[in-house]
Each structure stands twice: as structure tokens, then as C-alpha cells.
Amino acid sequence: MVALLIFIGKNWILERLRESIRHDYAVRLESYRSQITRREQAYEEIINALYDKIAYFRVHKEDYGQGTGLSDEREKDLYLEYIKASAALSRATDIGALFISQDSVGLLEDLRSRKQLDYDSEPKFEFYQAELGAHQRALSDLLKQALVDLKRT
């Protein structure tokens, strides 16, 4: 009878230990998946913001003082997208280290702190050309870093 109780007790303890390990593994796996998902979302937001800013600069780079050729409504929408994108990039640069790699945060900080042409004293097309180039380089570099960070290379 004692042997049976020891056998049952041993099996019960082993099963509880297995379930505890399974549960711990499941919690850790879900946490890891959640981190990956959040990292992907952060990169998606940053990349979309860069695309929106690039679209704005591209349209205005071709202006040469003649107007963009877009309707007032489309210009307003483009400007609002630019403002939202600027805010998203600023936010991502400030809190990005919580979700994206330090290298990616460094790219965003470099983009923010770079020397810019003066909008008021330089020809507008030169200003927009410089901004377009800087954002295109940042996007290209960030895409490469995102592939590494998301382990997709």
C-alpha cells in the first residue's frame, strides 16, 4: 500500500512539474511572439512614415515655383500625411529603443540631427531635394536593418 502511494505521489509530482514547465514555456513563447509582433509594427509605422515624407518631398521637389499640379484637396491631404509622418518619426526616434534595435534608433537619430538647408533662404527645390535624398537614404538603411533585426536575411 505504501509503495502504491509513493508511486502515485511520485507520478503526481512529476506530472505537476511537467505541466509547470509546459506553462512556463507557453508563457515565454507568447511573450516572444508578442515582442516580435510589436517590433514588426514599430518598423511598419516607421517605414510608412518615411514613405509619406518621401512622397511629400518628391511632389514639392518638382514644383520649381510653378505649383505642384495637384488639387487643393490632394495637397492638403499630402500635407496632413506629412505632419502625421513627422510626428510618428519623432515618436519612434524617442521611444524606438523599446521595440527596435539600437542601430535602427541610431539611423533615426542621425536623420533627425542632420544639418538641414534653411527653408527660408535656400531655393525650395534644393531644400526638398536634400530632404528627399536624406529620407530615401534613411529608408534604405532602415529597411536593411529591419531585415536583420527581424531575422529575415
Side-chain angles (χ1 to χ4, degrees), residues 102-127:
Q102 286 298 322
D103 291 336
S104 295
V105 171
L107 290 171
L108 294 175
E109 288 173 346
D110 290 346
L111 180 64
R112 183 190 330 198
S113 64
R114 77 194 182 289
K115 182 163 174 42
Q116 293 177 277
L117 295 177
D118 183 24
Y119 180 81
D120 294 321
S121 64
E122 297 291 334
K124 300 298 183 247
F125 67 89
E126 286 184 20
F127 172 82

PDB file of all heavy atoms in Angstrom, residues 102-127:
ATOM      1  N   GLN A 102      19.088  49.170 -31.503  1.00  0.00           N
ATOM      2  CA  GLN A 102      19.822  50.412 -31.277  1.00  0.00           C
ATOM      3  C   GLN A 102      20.370  50.977 -32.585  1.00  0.00           C
ATOM      4  O   GLN A 102      20.434  52.188 -32.760  1.00  0.00           O
ATOM      5  CB  GLN A 102      20.967  50.173 -30.283  1.00  0.00           C
ATOM      6  CG  GLN A 102      20.498  50.014 -28.858  1.00  0.00           C
ATOM      7  CD  GLN A 102      19.796  51.260 -28.348  1.00  0.00           C
ATOM      8  OE1 GLN A 102      20.181  52.385 -28.639  1.00  0.00           O
ATOM      9  NE2 GLN A 102      18.735  51.064 -27.591  1.00  0.00           N
ATOM     10  N   ASP A 103      20.750  50.092 -33.510  1.00  0.00           N
ATOM     11  CA  ASP A 103      21.234  50.560 -34.810  1.00  0.00           C
ATOM     12  C   ASP A 103      20.142  51.317 -35.553  1.00  0.00           C
ATOM     13  O   ASP A 103      20.402  52.351 -36.179  1.00  0.00           O
ATOM     14  CB  ASP A 103      21.731  49.387 -35.655  1.00  0.00           C
ATOM     15  CG  ASP A 103      23.004  48.769 -35.098  1.00  0.00           C
ATOM     16  OD1 ASP A 103      23.743  49.467 -34.368  1.00  0.00           O
ATOM     17  OD2 ASP A 103      23.252  47.594 -35.394  1.00  0.00           O
ATOM     18  N   SER A 104      18.916  50.812 -35.484  1.00  0.00           N
ATOM     19  CA  SER A 104      17.795  51.485 -36.148  1.00  0.00           C
ATOM     20  C   SER A 104      17.481  52.815 -35.473  1.00  0.00           C
ATOM     21  O   SER A 104      17.212  53.811 -36.144  1.00  0.00           O
ATOM     22  CB  SER A 104      16.556  50.588 -36.138  1.00  0.00           C
ATOM     23  OG  SER A 104      16.784  49.432 -36.898  1.00  0.00           O
ATOM     24  N   VAL A 105      17.528  52.831 -34.157  1.00  0.00           N
ATOM     25  CA  VAL A 105      17.313  54.081 -33.433  1.00  0.00           C
ATOM     26  C   VAL A 105      18.393  55.078 -33.829  1.00  0.00           C
ATOM     27  O   VAL A 105      18.111  56.263 -34.036  1.00  0.00           O
ATOM     28  CB  VAL A 105      17.310  53.846 -31.906  1.00  0.00           C
ATOM     29  CG1 VAL A 105      17.300  55.168 -31.151  1.00  0.00           C
ATOM     30  CG2 VAL A 105      16.111  53.004 -31.498  1.00  0.00           C
ATOM     31  N   GLY A 106      19.631  54.606 -33.968  1.00  0.00           N
ATOM     32  CA  GLY A 106      20.725  55.480 -34.394  1.00  0.00           C
ATOM     33  C   GLY A 106      20.478  56.081 -35.760  1.00  0.00           C
ATOM     34  O   GLY A 106      20.761  57.264 -35.987  1.00  0.00           O
ATOM     35  N   LEU A 107      19.935  55.277 -36.681  1.00  0.00           N
ATOM     36  CA  LEU A 107      19.605  55.802 -38.014  1.00  0.00           C
ATOM     37  C   LEU A 107      18.575  56.921 -37.918  1.00  0.00           C
ATOM     38  O   LEU A 107      18.693  57.948 -38.598  1.00  0.00           O
ATOM     39  CB  LEU A 107      19.060  54.681 -38.898  1.00  0.00           C
ATOM     40  CG  LEU A 107      20.035  53.614 -39.356  1.00  0.00           C
ATOM     41  CD1 LEU A 107      19.292  52.465 -40.025  1.00  0.00           C
ATOM     42  CD2 LEU A 107      21.059  54.203 -40.305  1.00  0.00           C
ATOM     43  N   LEU A 108      17.562  56.720 -37.085  1.00  0.00           N
ATOM     44  CA  LEU A 108      16.528  57.745 -36.923  1.00  0.00           C
ATOM     45  C   LEU A 108      17.088  58.993 -36.243  1.00  0.00           C
ATOM     46  O   LEU A 108      16.731  60.121 -36.613  1.00  0.00           O
ATOM     47  CB  LEU A 108      15.351  57.186 -36.127  1.00  0.00           C
ATOM     48  CG  LEU A 108      14.569  56.071 -36.802  1.00  0.00           C
ATOM     49  CD1 LEU A 108      13.503  55.519 -35.863  1.00  0.00           C
ATOM     50  CD2 LEU A 108      13.939  56.542 -38.100  1.00  0.00           C
ATOM     51  N   GLU A 109      17.957  58.796 -35.262  1.00  0.00           N
ATOM     52  CA  GLU A 109      18.573  59.953 -34.598  1.00  0.00           C
ATOM     53  C   GLU A 109      19.468  60.726 -35.566  1.00  0.00           C
ATOM     54  O   GLU A 109      19.488  61.958 -35.541  1.00  0.00           O
ATOM     55  CB  GLU A 109      19.361  59.495 -33.379  1.00  0.00           C
ATOM     56  CG  GLU A 109      18.471  59.062 -32.229  1.00  0.00           C
ATOM     57  CD  GLU A 109      19.233  58.442 -31.073  1.00  0.00           C
ATOM     58  OE1 GLU A 109      20.431  58.102 -31.239  1.00  0.00           O
ATOM     59  OE2 GLU A 109      18.622  58.296 -30.005  1.00  0.00           O
ATOM     60  N   ASP A 110      20.191  60.004 -36.408  1.00  0.00           N
ATOM     61  CA  ASP A 110      21.028  60.676 -37.417  1.00  0.00           C
ATOM     62  C   ASP A 110      20.164  61.478 -38.383  1.00  0.00           C
ATOM     63  O   ASP A 110      20.535  62.597 -38.772  1.00  0.00           O
ATOM     64  CB  ASP A 110      21.859  59.660 -38.200  1.00  0.00           C
ATOM     65  CG  ASP A 110      22.958  59.030 -37.363  1.00  0.00           C
ATOM     66  OD1 ASP A 110      23.259  59.547 -36.270  1.00  0.00           O
ATOM     67  OD2 ASP A 110      23.501  57.991 -37.807  1.00  0.00           O
ATOM     68  N   LEU A 111      19.026  60.918 -38.777  1.00  0.00           N
ATOM     69  CA  LEU A 111      18.120  61.635 -39.681  1.00  0.00           C
ATOM     70  C   LEU A 111      17.615  62.914 -39.014  1.00  0.00           C
ATOM     71  O   LEU A 111      17.566  63.969 -39.646  1.00  0.00           O
ATOM     72  CB  LEU A 111      16.943  60.734 -40.076  1.00  0.00           C
ATOM     73  CG  LEU A 111      15.911  61.337 -41.021  1.00  0.00           C
ATOM     74  CD1 LEU A 111      16.530  61.651 -42.380  1.00  0.00           C
ATOM     75  CD2 LEU A 111      14.719  60.392 -41.172  1.00  0.00           C
ATOM     76  N   ARG A 112      17.261  62.818 -37.750  1.00  0.00           N
ATOM     77  CA  ARG A 112      16.730  63.975 -37.047  1.00  0.00           C
ATOM     78  C   ARG A 112      17.795  65.046 -36.814  1.00  0.00           C
ATOM     79  O   ARG A 112      17.519  66.231 -36.940  1.00  0.00           O
ATOM     80  CB  ARG A 112      16.145  63.566 -35.699  1.00  0.00           C
ATOM     81  CG  ARG A 112      15.529  64.750 -34.983  1.00  0.00           C
ATOM     82  CD  ARG A 112      15.133  64.561 -33.562  1.00  0.00           C
ATOM     83  NE  ARG A 112      14.729  63.258 -33.169  1.00  0.00           N
ATOM     84  CZ  ARG A 112      14.044  63.013 -32.061  1.00  0.00           C
ATOM     85  NH1 ARG A 112      13.670  63.976 -31.278  1.00  0.00           N
ATOM     86  NH2 ARG A 112      13.739  61.785 -31.740  1.00  0.00           N
ATOM     87  N   SER A 113      19.009  64.643 -36.490  1.00  0.00           N
ATOM     88  CA  SER A 113      20.032  65.609 -36.089  1.00  0.00           C
ATOM     89  C   SER A 113      20.914  66.098 -37.236  1.00  0.00           C
ATOM     90  O   SER A 113      21.810  66.906 -37.018  1.00  0.00           O
ATOM     91  CB  SER A 113      20.916  65.004 -34.998  1.00  0.00           C
ATOM     92  OG  SER A 113      21.616  63.898 -35.507  1.00  0.00           O
ATOM     93  N   ARG A 114      20.647  65.650 -38.457  1.00  0.00           N
ATOM     94  CA  ARG A 114      21.486  66.055 -39.583  1.00  0.00           C
ATOM     95  C   ARG A 114      21.349  67.556 -39.844  1.00  0.00           C
ATOM     96  O   ARG A 114      20.351  68.173 -39.485  1.00  0.00           O
ATOM     97  CB  ARG A 114      21.116  65.266 -40.840  1.00  0.00           C
ATOM     98  CG  ARG A 114      19.844  65.772 -41.491  1.00  0.00           C
ATOM     99  CD  ARG A 114      19.285  64.837 -42.512  1.00  0.00           C
ATOM    100  NE  ARG A 114      18.120  65.391 -43.129  1.00  0.00           N
ATOM    101  CZ  ARG A 114      16.948  65.538 -42.554  1.00  0.00           C
ATOM    102  NH1 ARG A 114      16.766  65.168 -41.307  1.00  0.00           N
ATOM    103  NH2 ARG A 114      15.930  66.055 -43.205  1.00  0.00           N
ATOM    104  N   LYS A 115      22.340  68.123 -40.469  1.00  0.00           N
ATOM    105  CA  LYS A 115      22.291  69.539 -40.848  1.00  0.00           C
ATOM    106  C   LYS A 115      21.357  69.665 -42.054  1.00  0.00           C
ATOM    107  O   LYS A 115      21.497  68.959 -43.036  1.00  0.00           O
ATOM    108  CB  LYS A 115      23.680  70.031 -41.211  1.00  0.00           C
ATOM    109  CG  LYS A 115      23.714  71.497 -41.570  1.00  0.00           C
ATOM    110  CD  LYS A 115      25.115  72.028 -41.527  1.00  0.00           C
ATOM    111  CE  LYS A 115      25.249  73.439 -41.999  1.00  0.00           C
ATOM    112  NZ  LYS A 115      24.254  74.379 -41.596  1.00  0.00           N
ATOM    113  N   GLN A 116      20.395  70.550 -41.922  1.00  0.00           N
ATOM    114  CA  GLN A 116      19.426  70.769 -42.990  1.00  0.00           C
ATOM    115  C   GLN A 116      19.646  72.127 -43.639  1.00  0.00           C
ATOM    116  O   GLN A 116      20.147  73.059 -43.011  1.00  0.00           O
ATOM    117  CB  GLN A 116      17.998  70.728 -42.423  1.00  0.00           C
ATOM    118  CG  GLN A 116      17.591  69.371 -41.916  1.00  0.00           C
ATOM    119  CD  GLN A 116      16.213  69.419 -41.298  1.00  0.00           C
ATOM    120  OE1 GLN A 116      16.069  69.774 -40.149  1.00  0.00           O
ATOM    121  NE2 GLN A 116      15.217  69.071 -42.089  1.00  0.00           N
ATOM    122  N   LEU A 117      19.245  72.210 -44.889  1.00  0.00           N
ATOM    123  CA  LEU A 117      19.255  73.502 -45.568  1.00  0.00           C
ATOM    124  C   LEU A 117      18.187  74.390 -44.937  1.00  0.00           C
ATOM    125  O   LEU A 117      17.174  73.911 -44.435  1.00  0.00           O
ATOM    126  CB  LEU A 117      18.961  73.328 -47.060  1.00  0.00           C
ATOM    127  CG  LEU A 117      19.987  72.549 -47.877  1.00  0.00           C
ATOM    128  CD1 LEU A 117      19.511  72.399 -49.318  1.00  0.00           C
ATOM    129  CD2 LEU A 117      21.344  73.227 -47.834  1.00  0.00           C
ATOM    130  N   ASP A 118      18.417  75.678 -44.986  1.00  0.00           N
ATOM    131  CA  ASP A 118      17.447  76.626 -44.444  1.00  0.00           C
ATOM    132  C   ASP A 118      16.301  76.794 -45.441  1.00  0.00           C
ATOM    133  O   ASP A 118      16.513  77.230 -46.580  1.00  0.00           O
ATOM    134  CB  ASP A 118      18.130  77.962 -44.164  1.00  0.00           C
ATOM    135  CG  ASP A 118      17.187  78.965 -43.528  1.00  0.00           C
ATOM    136  OD1 ASP A 118      16.197  78.549 -42.901  1.00  0.00           O
ATOM    137  OD2 ASP A 118      17.463  80.185 -43.650  1.00  0.00           O
ATOM    138  N   TYR A 119      15.110  76.460 -45.009  1.00  0.00           N
ATOM    139  CA  TYR A 119      13.934  76.503 -45.878  1.00  0.00           C
ATOM    140  C   TYR A 119      13.681  77.916 -46.412  1.00  0.00           C
ATOM    141  O   TYR A 119      13.279  78.089 -47.558  1.00  0.00           O
ATOM    142  CB  TYR A 119      12.705  76.005 -45.112  1.00  0.00           C
ATOM    143  CG  TYR A 119      11.443  76.006 -45.915  1.00  0.00           C
ATOM    144  CD1 TYR A 119      11.157  74.968 -46.803  1.00  0.00           C
ATOM    145  CD2 TYR A 119      10.525  77.049 -45.812  1.00  0.00           C
ATOM    146  CE1 TYR A 119       9.993  74.970 -47.558  1.00  0.00           C
ATOM    147  CE2 TYR A 119       9.359  77.052 -46.559  1.00  0.00           C
ATOM    148  CZ  TYR A 119       9.106  76.008 -47.424  1.00  0.00           C
ATOM    149  OH  TYR A 119       7.957  76.007 -48.171  1.00  0.00           O
ATOM    150  N   ASP A 120      13.923  78.925 -45.586  1.00  0.00           N
ATOM    151  CA  ASP A 120      13.596  80.299 -45.970  1.00  0.00           C
ATOM    152  C   ASP A 120      14.645  80.947 -46.869  1.00  0.00           C
ATOM    153  O   ASP A 120      14.315  81.823 -47.656  1.00  0.00           O
ATOM    154  CB  ASP A 120      13.394  81.162 -44.720  1.00  0.00           C
ATOM    155  CG  ASP A 120      12.168  80.712 -43.943  1.00  0.00           C
ATOM    156  OD1 ASP A 120      11.155  80.362 -44.588  1.00  0.00           O
ATOM    157  OD2 ASP A 120      12.227  80.704 -42.699  1.00  0.00           O
ATOM    158  N   SER A 121      15.910  80.535 -46.757  1.00  0.00           N
ATOM    159  CA  SER A 121      16.942  81.231 -47.524  1.00  0.00           C
ATOM    160  C   SER A 121      17.431  80.452 -48.748  1.00  0.00           C
ATOM    161  O   SER A 121      18.041  81.023 -49.636  1.00  0.00           O
ATOM    162  CB  SER A 121      18.135  81.569 -46.621  1.00  0.00           C
ATOM    163  OG  SER A 121      18.751  80.385 -46.159  1.00  0.00           O
ATOM    164  N   GLU A 122      17.190  79.164 -48.790  1.00  0.00           N
ATOM    165  CA  GLU A 122      17.633  78.338 -49.918  1.00  0.00           C
ATOM    166  C   GLU A 122      16.499  78.200 -50.937  1.00  0.00           C
ATOM    167  O   GLU A 122      15.322  78.330 -50.585  1.00  0.00           O
ATOM    168  CB  GLU A 122      18.022  76.935 -49.434  1.00  0.00           C
ATOM    169  CG  GLU A 122      19.186  76.914 -48.476  1.00  0.00           C
ATOM    170  CD  GLU A 122      20.503  77.284 -49.112  1.00  0.00           C
ATOM    171  OE1 GLU A 122      20.659  77.101 -50.344  1.00  0.00           O
ATOM    172  OE2 GLU A 122      21.384  77.767 -48.391  1.00  0.00           O
ATOM    173  N   PRO A 123      16.841  77.936 -52.188  1.00  0.00           N
ATOM    174  CA  PRO A 123      15.777  77.645 -53.165  1.00  0.00           C
ATOM    175  C   PRO A 123      14.972  76.423 -52.694  1.00  0.00           C
ATOM    176  O   PRO A 123      15.549  75.451 -52.191  1.00  0.00           O
ATOM    177  CB  PRO A 123      16.542  77.335 -54.452  1.00  0.00           C
ATOM    178  CG  PRO A 123      17.877  77.980 -54.271  1.00  0.00           C
ATOM    179  CD  PRO A 123      18.166  77.936 -52.806  1.00  0.00           C
ATOM    180  N   LYS A 124      13.665  76.505 -52.815  1.00  0.00           N
ATOM    181  CA  LYS A 124      12.785  75.455 -52.296  1.00  0.00           C
ATOM    182  C   LYS A 124      13.102  74.095 -52.910  1.00  0.00           C
ATOM    183  O   LYS A 124      13.110  73.087 -52.216  1.00  0.00           O
ATOM    184  CB  LYS A 124      11.316  75.807 -52.543  1.00  0.00           C
ATOM    185  CG  LYS A 124      10.877  77.096 -51.895  1.00  0.00           C
ATOM    186  CD  LYS A 124      10.991  77.051 -50.393  1.00  0.00           C
ATOM    187  CE  LYS A 124      10.469  78.326 -49.778  1.00  0.00           C
ATOM    188  NZ  LYS A 124      11.487  79.117 -49.134  1.00  0.00           N
ATOM    189  N   PHE A 125      13.381  74.061 -54.218  1.00  0.00           N
ATOM    190  CA  PHE A 125      13.643  72.769 -54.839  1.00  0.00           C
ATOM    191  C   PHE A 125      14.915  72.137 -54.282  1.00  0.00           C
ATOM    192  O   PHE A 125      15.002  70.923 -54.153  1.00  0.00           O
ATOM    193  CB  PHE A 125      13.690  72.868 -56.374  1.00  0.00           C
ATOM    194  CG  PHE A 125      14.845  73.645 -56.918  1.00  0.00           C
ATOM    195  CD1 PHE A 125      16.053  73.026 -57.206  1.00  0.00           C
ATOM    196  CD2 PHE A 125      14.722  75.010 -57.154  1.00  0.00           C
ATOM    197  CE1 PHE A 125      17.112  73.754 -57.717  1.00  0.00           C
ATOM    198  CE2 PHE A 125      15.784  75.736 -57.666  1.00  0.00           C
ATOM    199  CZ  PHE A 125      16.992  75.109 -57.938  1.00  0.00           C
ATOM    200  N   GLU A 126      15.907  72.960 -53.903  1.00  0.00           N
ATOM    201  CA  GLU A 126      17.127  72.413 -53.303  1.00  0.00           C
ATOM    202  C   GLU A 126      16.838  71.856 -51.909  1.00  0.00           C
ATOM    203  O   GLU A 126      17.350  70.813 -51.521  1.00  0.00           O
ATOM    204  CB  GLU A 126      18.229  73.471 -53.239  1.00  0.00           C
ATOM    205  CG  GLU A 126      18.851  73.752 -54.590  1.00  0.00           C
ATOM    206  CD  GLU A 126      20.011  74.731 -54.509  1.00  0.00           C
ATOM    207  OE1 GLU A 126      20.580  74.914 -53.398  1.00  0.00           O
ATOM    208  OE2 GLU A 126      20.344  75.311 -55.548  1.00  0.00           O
ATOM    209  N   PHE A 127      16.014  72.595 -51.150  1.00  0.00           N
ATOM    210  CA  PHE A 127      15.624  72.122 -49.820  1.00  0.00           C
ATOM    211  C   PHE A 127      14.912  70.783 -49.932  1.00  0.00           C
ATOM    212  O   PHE A 127      15.264  69.822 -49.245  1.00  0.00           O
ATOM    213  CB  PHE A 127      14.717  73.159 -49.135  1.00  0.00           C
ATOM    214  CG  PHE A 127      14.131  72.660 -47.851  1.00  0.00           C
ATOM    215  CD1 PHE A 127      14.854  72.708 -46.678  1.00  0.00           C
ATOM    216  CD2 PHE A 127      12.842  72.123 -47.823  1.00  0.00           C
ATOM    217  CE1 PHE A 127      14.311  72.235 -45.484  1.00  0.00           C
ATOM    218  CE2 PHE A 127      12.302  71.647 -46.639  1.00  0.00           C
ATOM    219  CZ  PHE A 127      13.032  71.701 -45.465  1.00  0.00           C
TER     220      PHE A 127
END
